[in-house]
């Protein structure tokens, strides 16, 4: 108990003064939470409150954020090539920056980081991991992290998962994401391991294979009998759900308790259909990206995306002029990750190009003490600007994935034309009048000004498909991985295996495509 | 020698030891202390504790008496406050009770004198309650029987060295016995100002071990430890009486008993239970008892 008290004090010192975390102390806290749960069967809410720190009023929040921003800007100006040049050009002294002057610093564009990633790394830092984004909207962007940062992120993740009661030592965690998503995978897998769970990095294999692993029975002492926690992309989840429902699988065939989804938009349609297959599972939608890691957005039941003010300054800048977005207006998230969370790669006012709406009024939810935006609307580069305004991927995907006529994940594309947008979508049976009527109505309800609607039955017929992370598929050797065949996997209701429809593309063929 | 006074003192020692052990047992079954929300009492804490046990007596010997008394008062009253939380729902009543105890201790010390029966009586009640509180805090914070046995073994060696081979404990007892909030139960044993005492540490170990064994291996293990702990104290008092030893390292009797019990129960029952498993089993037992009554 005494060692944990010292670790809590060390953690508090980092949070209050912004000095780097001591990874060992964080790991000790994570281990203490695991032991506490093992000994007492649960973690009291007081533990989460103790680690979360106090909620800040508006004045204190601004003060804390200004001090953290200044500290990060000073380090950027002195120790990075990019911000050294920028502050010299602007003639700004970052150590005397006032809150109102933050807006004078131009947002850092994605392209600058993509082209010269090393210009953002502190000279005094000790980078140990160079991780890249998955590059779904262009060339991947590389960001460097130190070993201490990664250890701290893993430990913070373990603390968060355990304090929230989301993962425990009996859980069997399956990570079905791209192996190239190194940062997210490393942190989530490490956090689950630290929480005592069994982690299976299954990779982004075929839906048949993933489904087979989910239904497989395990016989490990102290662990649940089936995969109990799944981490994946919404599009891969959609594929699994589509296949599972087609196979006639039911909630009793699975042991899933929680699903973590992120990296893409999560629609109500996917969530509802996932519950049809898996039963009453908890589905957690997270928001995070490599460039601004470990900044994490937290969804509340009122439909807000909340951010912890001590982690980063989050601004919403409008899509046209780059000024702060007005109430209810759409804009992109511009984020500055703060110390002690970010030590190696410095990014000030990084324009994520992720579109959200500024809240029309201050939040009144349980998380109201944390700054918030509306839910993600999608990438700006995938949105369409037309005569009526903007159409964002969320509007289209929410409309389509709510309809049974559209198989999951919704494979579609849309782009602006005079008078509105063209929408193309893969349906179950191609261009059927009933499906057309339903889709037109759903898109209309979401405010999508459809000029042309193309319904096709084959994804290869799409001319401008939205990219899906679920397609970052990894090839597997046949015939068997972990006792589950990639092409023929899974269970009769009461046994470990069952026949599944073979994947139309084998692993080797998929690798070629 | 006044035999009647000596016998009274010995009975008082045994009575206080029995009170601490039995009250500790009853408290453990009925009340939940506010434990730290993160972490459990571990082997590392045993290490910290041993470090404190070695260092603190030396500090008490060199610090000014007013400071020693202040530290003892702070420790005793804050522990009392912790133990009282589940018993007294209102904070005001609890604080009034704790402060009342503090005032009673000082009044008895000032009015009746440091080696008087009234002062010993008030202080003994306080020490017994402190032993009950600390024992429950340790046991309810997840202290394992293994760790208690390790602590017992280490204290056996320490007590033997500090009490029987060095004058450390004797000097310490002589110095703190005449202070308010002294960490020992004592009673006048002769007309010449002699007294008989039992240290808080010994009382604490005798109180905590039945609790951790009850958690780890069930009520029979706990009750056996309770009986054996009391027997050890009776044995020590009897031995001291028969051989006229002026100071005896009680842990030399208690410690090996703790280790032996731990070894026996581990052999018999295997790995010890967690607090959660203990509570589940206890709830199931109480359910069965209530069904039988119905």
């Amino acid at each position: 108990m005494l060692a944990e008290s010292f670790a809590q004090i060390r953690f508090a010192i980092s949070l209050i003064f912004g000095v780097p975390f001591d990874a060992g102390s964080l790991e000790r806290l994570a281990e203490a939470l695991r032991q506490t749960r093992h000994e007492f069967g649960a973690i009291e809410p007081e533990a989460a409150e103790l680690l979360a720190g106090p909620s800040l009023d508006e004045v204190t929040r601004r003060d804390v954020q200004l001090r953290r921003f200044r500290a990060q800007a000073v380090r950027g100006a002195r120790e990075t090539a990019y911000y050294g040049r920028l502050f010299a050009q602007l003639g700004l002294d970052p150590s005397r920056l006032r809150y109102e002057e933050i807006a004078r610093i131009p947002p850092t564009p994605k392209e600058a980081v993509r082209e010269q990633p090393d210009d953002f790394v502190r000279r005094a830092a000790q980078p140990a991991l160079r991780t890249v984004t998955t590059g779904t909207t262009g060339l991947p962007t590389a960001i460097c992290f130190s070993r201490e940062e990664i250890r701290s992120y893993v430990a913070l993740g373990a603390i968060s998962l355990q304090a929230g009661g989301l993962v425990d030592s009996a859980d069997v965690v399956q990570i079905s994401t791209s192996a190239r998503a190194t940062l997210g995978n490393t942190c989530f897998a490490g956090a689950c391991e630290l929480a005592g769970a069994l982690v299976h990095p299954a990779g982004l294999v075929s839906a048949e294979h993933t489904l087979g692993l989910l239904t497989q029975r395990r016989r490990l002492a102290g662990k649940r009998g089936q995969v109990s926690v799944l981490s994946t992309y919404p599009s891969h989840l959609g594929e699994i759900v589509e296949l599972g429902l087609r196979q006639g699988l039911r909630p009793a065939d699975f042991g899933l308790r929680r699903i973590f989804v992120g990296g893409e938009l999560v629609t109500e349609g996917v969530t509802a259909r996932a519950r049809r297959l898996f039963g009453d599972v908890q589905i957690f939608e997270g928001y995070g990206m490599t460039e601004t890691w470990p900044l994490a957005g937290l969804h509340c039941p009122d439909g807000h995306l909340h951010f912890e003010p001590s982690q980063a300054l989050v601004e919403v800048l409008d899509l046209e002029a780059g000024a702060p977005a007005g109430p209810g207006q759409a804009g992109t998230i511009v984020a500055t990750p703060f110390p002690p969370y970010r030590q190696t790669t410095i990014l000030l006012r990084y324009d994520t190009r992720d579109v959200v709406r500024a809240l029309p009024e201050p939040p009144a939810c349980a998380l109201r003490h944390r700054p918030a935006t509306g839910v993600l609307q999608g990438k700006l580069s995938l949105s369409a600007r037309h005569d009526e305004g903007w159409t964002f991927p969320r509007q289209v995907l929410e409309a389509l994935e709510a309809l049974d006529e559209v198989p999951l994940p919704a494979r579609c594309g849309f782009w602006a034309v005079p008078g509105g947008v063209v929408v193309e979508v893969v349906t179950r049976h191609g261009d059927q009048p009933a499906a057309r009527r339903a889709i037109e109505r759903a898109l209309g309800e979401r405010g999508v000004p459809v000029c042309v609607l193309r319904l096709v039955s084959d994804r290869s017929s799409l001319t401008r498909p939205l990219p899906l992370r679920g397609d970052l598929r990894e090839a597997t050797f046949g015939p068997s991985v972990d006792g589950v065949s990639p092409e023929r996997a899974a269970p009769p209701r009461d046994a470990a295996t069952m026949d599944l429809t073979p994947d139309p593309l084998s692993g080797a063929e998929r690798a070629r495509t | 020698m006044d035999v009647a006074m000596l016998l009274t003192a010995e009975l008082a020692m045994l009575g206080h030891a029995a009170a601490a052990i039995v009250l500790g047992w009853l408290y453990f079954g009925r009340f939940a202390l506010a434990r730290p929300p993160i972490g459990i009492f571990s082997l590392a804490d045993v290490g910290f504790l041993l470090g404190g046990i070695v260092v603190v007596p030396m500090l008490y010997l060199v610090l000014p008496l007013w400071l020693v008394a202040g530290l003892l008062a702070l420790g005793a009253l804050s522990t009392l406050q912790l133990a009282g939380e589940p018993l007294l729902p209102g904070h005001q009543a609890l604080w009034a009770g704790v402060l009342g105890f503090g005032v009673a201790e000082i009044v008895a010390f000032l009015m009746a004198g440091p080696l008087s029966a009234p002062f010993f009586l008030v202080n003994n009640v306080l020490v017994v309650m402190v032993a009950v509180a600390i024992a429950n805090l340790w046991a309810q914070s997840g202290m394992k029987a293994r760790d208690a046995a390790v602590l017992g073994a280490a204290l056996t060696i320490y007590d033997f060295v500090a009490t029987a081979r060095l004058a450390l404990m004797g000097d310490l007892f002589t110095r703190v016995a005449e202070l308010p909030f002294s960490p020992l139960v004592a009673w006048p044993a002769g007309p010449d100002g002699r007294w008989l005492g039992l240290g808080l540490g010994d009382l604490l170990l005798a109180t905590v071990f039945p609790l951790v064994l009850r958690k780890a291996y069930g009520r029979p293990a706990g009750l056996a430890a309770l009986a054996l702990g009391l027997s050890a104290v009776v044995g020590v008092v009897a031995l001291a009486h028969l051989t006229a030893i002026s100071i005896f390292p009680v842990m030399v009797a208690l410690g090996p008993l703790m280790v032996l019990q731990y070894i026996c129960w581990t052999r018999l029952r295997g790995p010890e239970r967690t607090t959660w498993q203990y509570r589940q089993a206890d709830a199931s037992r109480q359910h069965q008892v209530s069904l039988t009554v119905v």
Side-chain angles (χ1 to χ4, degrees):
Chain A
M1 290 190 296
L2 271 172
E4 286 77 34
S5 305
F6 291 135
Q8 280 176 58
I9 292 168
R10 181 63 186 79
F11 182 41
I13 288 171
S14 287
L15 289 183
I16 294 166
F17 300 108
V19 297
F21 289 119
D22 174 50
S25 297
L26 293 177
E27 285 164 359
R28 189 167 298 124
L29 281 177
E31 172 61 14
L33 283 169
R34 191 193 64 75
Q35 286 177 349
T36 305
R37 189 184 172 87
H38 174 74
E39 181 65 33
F40 299 106
I43 291 168
E44 304 293 325
E46 290 85 10
E49 288 168 18
L50 209 63
L51 296 168
S55 55
L56 307 175
D57 62 53
E58 184 64 15
V59 176
T60 316
R61 180 185 67 76
R62 272 173 68 110
D63 184 49
V64 167
Q65 290 197 312
L66 175 61
R67 277 191 280 120
R68 296 281 164 91
F69 192 99
R70 259 194 219 138
Q72 200 72 317
V74 166
R75 296 200 301 183
R78 289 181 187 160
E79 298 186 49
T80 70
Y82 182 87
Y83 292 111
R85 285 193 302 267
L86 184 73
F87 279 103
Q89 284 165 11
L90 293 172
L92 265 179
D93 178 359
S95 64
R96 294 178 179 209
L97 209 60
R98 285 177 295 133
Y99 199 87
E100 301 71 31
E101 288 177 326
I102 290 175
R104 283 185 58 196
I105 301 168
T108 304
K110 196 178 183 80
E111 294 72 26
V113 185
R114 187 180 286 161
E115 285 158 20
Q116 299 291 340
D118 297 346
D119 283 3
F120 295 86
V121 178
R122 285 173 63 204
R123 279 185 278 273
Q126 292 181 311
L129 174 70
R130 183 185 166 101
T131 185
V132 292
T133 60
T134 41
T136 39
T137 54
L139 285 172
T141 308
I143 303 288
C144 288
F145 295 94
S146 68
R147 185 169 174 270
E148 281 294 293
E149 277 179 303
I150 297 296
R151 275 182 71 197
S152 299
Y153 299 157
V154 166
L156 285 167
I159 290 168
S160 170
L161 288 175
Q162 293 184 97
L166 304 178
V167 172
D168 63 49
S169 57
D171 275 317
V172 179
V173 180
Q174 181 172 321
I175 303 180
S176 292
T177 52
S178 167
R180 288 194 301 120
T182 46
L183 185 62
N185 288 351
T186 303
C187 292
F188 188 68
C192 292
E193 281 168 16
L194 206 48
L198 171 72
V199 179
H200 178 190
L204 201 53
V205 290
S206 68
E208 289 85 350
H209 194 168
T210 302
L211 200 59
L213 291 169
L214 291 177
T215 52
Q216 193 180 41
R217 305 279 171 186
R218 318 282 167 127
R219 292 181 300 279
L220 291 167
K223 302 294 177 197
R224 295 195 165 84
Q226 284 179 290
V227 171
S228 52
V229 175
L230 171 68
S231 169
T232 191
Y233 304 123
S235 52
H236 192 56
L237 178 65
E239 275 188 286
I240 302 164
V241 168
E242 188 70 24
L243 183 65
L245 291 173
R246 202 165 66 225
Q247 304 272 332
L249 294 175
R250 296 179 307 186
D253 296 315
F254 301 93
L256 270 181
R257 294 161 10 114
R258 297 187 179 92
I259 303 174
F260 292 90
V261 277
E264 294 174 328
L265 298 178
V266 185
T267 63
E268 287 175 19
V270 165
T271 306
R273 286 204 244 177
R275 291 210 170 96
R276 256 189 254 164
L277 179 65
F278 298 121
D280 191 22
V281 292
Q282 288 181 295
I283 299 177
F284 297 95
E285 180 185 358
Y287 169 70
M289 65 191 306
T290 302
E291 297 93 316
T292 57
W293 201 271
L295 173 64
L298 193 65
H299 287 87
C300 75
D302 286 8
H304 309 139
L305 184 60
H306 293 267
F307 297 93
E308 172 54 44
S310 67
Q311 285 185 344
L313 175 68
V314 175
E315 305 165 82
V316 180
L317 299 189
D318 79 25
L319 306 176
E320 317 292 339
Q329 249 190 328
T332 56
I333 291 178
V334 172
T336 305
F338 287 152
Y341 294 93
R342 200 60 175 272
Q343 300 290 342
T344 301
T345 304
I346 306 291
L347 290 176
L348 303 175
R349 305 194 80 215
Y350 178 74
D351 191 348
T352 62
R353 312 310 282 160
D354 284 328
V355 180
V356 290
R357 286 189 186 281
L359 293 184
E361 54 201 27
C365 59
L367 297 176
R368 60 187 172 277
H369 56 277
R370 294 185 183 188
T373 67
V375 294
L376 280 179
Q377 298 296 320
K379 287 280 176 196
L380 185 62
S381 59
L382 302 177
S383 306
R385 175 88 170 92
H386 46 75
D387 302 340
E388 309 275 317
W390 285 90
T391 292
F392 301 114
R394 178 168 293 277
Q395 291 169 273
V396 176
L397 290 172
E398 287 285 4
L400 297 178
E401 293 193 336
L403 300 171
D404 280 333
E405 287 83 352
V406 178
L408 291 176
R411 294 191 178 276
C412 61
F414 65 96
W415 59 94
V417 290
V421 293
V422 176
V423 177
E424 56 178 2
V425 57
V426 175
T427 64
R428 289 190 197 283
H429 308 292
D431 196 352
Q432 297 284 325
R436 175 169 284 276
R437 277 196 301 278
I439 290 170
E440 277 175 345
R441 189 170 56 246
L443 288 168
E445 285 169 0
R446 294 279 172 182
V448 181
V450 182
C451 288
V452 179
L453 179 62
R454 282 186 64 229
L455 304 185
V456 298
S457 57
D458 179 7
R459 58 190 271 199
S460 63
S461 306
L462 295 174
T463 51
R464 297 189 201 180
L466 291 178
L468 299 179
R469 287 179 190 236
D471 291 334
L472 296 170
R473 198 65 64 76
E474 291 156 31
T476 55
F477 290 112
S480 165
V481 174
D482 285 338
V484 177
S485 161
E487 314 308 341
R488 294 178 65 78
R493 298 255 136 63
D494 53 352
T497 57
M498 78 179 237
D499 291 333
L500 290 174
T501 309
D503 189 355
L505 289 177
S506 72
E509 287 165 336
R510 189 175 295 111
R512 283 198 295 278
T513 54
Chain B
M1 180 188 285
D2 189 331
V3 178
M5 273 189 89
L6 181 61
L7 276 175
T8 308
E10 286 166 356
L11 286 174
M13 284 310 93
L14 296 177
H16 284 110
I21 296 171
V22 172
L23 285 174
W25 178 273
L26 294 174
Y27 191 104
F28 188 72
R30 284 168 178 73
F31 304 106
L33 278 173
R35 60 173 173 79
I38 301 171
I40 61 170
F41 194 102
S42 65
L43 212 48
D45 295 301
V46 170
F48 278 116
L49 203 59
L50 286 169
I53 287 167
V54 171
V55 172
V56 170
M58 294 178 191
L59 281 178
Y60 282 176
L61 284 175
V62 296
L63 289 176
L65 282 175
W66 63 266
L67 185 56
V68 175
L71 290 172
L72 289 172
L74 190 70
L77 296 180
S78 57
T79 309
L80 213 58
Q81 194 269 341
L82 186 75
E85 266 180 4
L87 298 166
L88 295 169
H91 282 275
Q92 282 182 335
L94 177 58
W95 277 111
V98 170
L99 289 175
F101 241 108
V103 170
E105 172 94 6
I106 291 166
V107 167
F109 176 78
L110 293 174
M111 303 293 284
L115 298 179
S116 64
F119 168 68
F120 277 143
L121 182 66
V122 176
N123 192 61
N124 290 352
V125 172
L126 184 72
V127 171
V128 165
M129 289 199 294
V130 168
V132 168
I134 298 177
N136 270 277
L137 181 66
W138 289 359
Q140 293 188 24
S141 296
M143 186 188 211
K144 289 185 166 56
R146 178 203 63 186
D147 299 349
V150 168
L151 181 63
L155 286 180
T156 302
I157 298 166
Y158 173 77
D159 207 13
F160 177 73
V161 173
T163 308
R165 294 288 166 194
L166 303 173
L168 180 66
M169 279 299 148
D171 293 347
L172 179 73
F173 271 32
T174 308
R175 191 158 201 247
V176 300
E178 298 190 17
L179 290 178
F181 305 101
S182 61
L184 50 95
V185 287
W187 200 257
D192 51 351
R194 288 198 308 158
W195 50 270
L196 190 66
L198 182 65
L200 171 63
D202 305 323
L203 202 57
L204 179 54
L205 268 288
T207 307
V208 78
F209 201 59
L211 309 186
V212 293
L213 275 194
R214 175 179 174 180
K215 173 177 83 76
Y217 298 113
R219 291 172 74 86
L223 287 169
L226 191 150
L228 284 170
L230 264 179
S231 306
V233 178
V234 171
V236 167
V237 170
L239 191 68
H241 181 91
L242 292 173
T243 57
I245 298 170
S246 60
I247 184 162
F248 187 86
V250 179
M251 282 308 298
V252 168
L254 270 180
L257 264 180
M258 291 166 71
V259 175
L260 280 174
Q261 287 179 83
Y262 171 67
I263 292 170
C264 286
W265 287 111
T266 310
R267 291 272 170 91
L268 282 171
R269 297 272 172 92
E272 52 185 291
R273 298 183 300 187
T274 63
T275 303
W276 182 74
Q277 288 168 327
Y278 155 70
R279 284 187 189 141
Q280 298 283 106
D282 206 46
S284 158
R285 190 187 65 83
Q286 282 177 4
H287 180 65
Q288 282 174 355
V289 169
S290 66
L291 284 179
T292 311
V293 170
V294 169

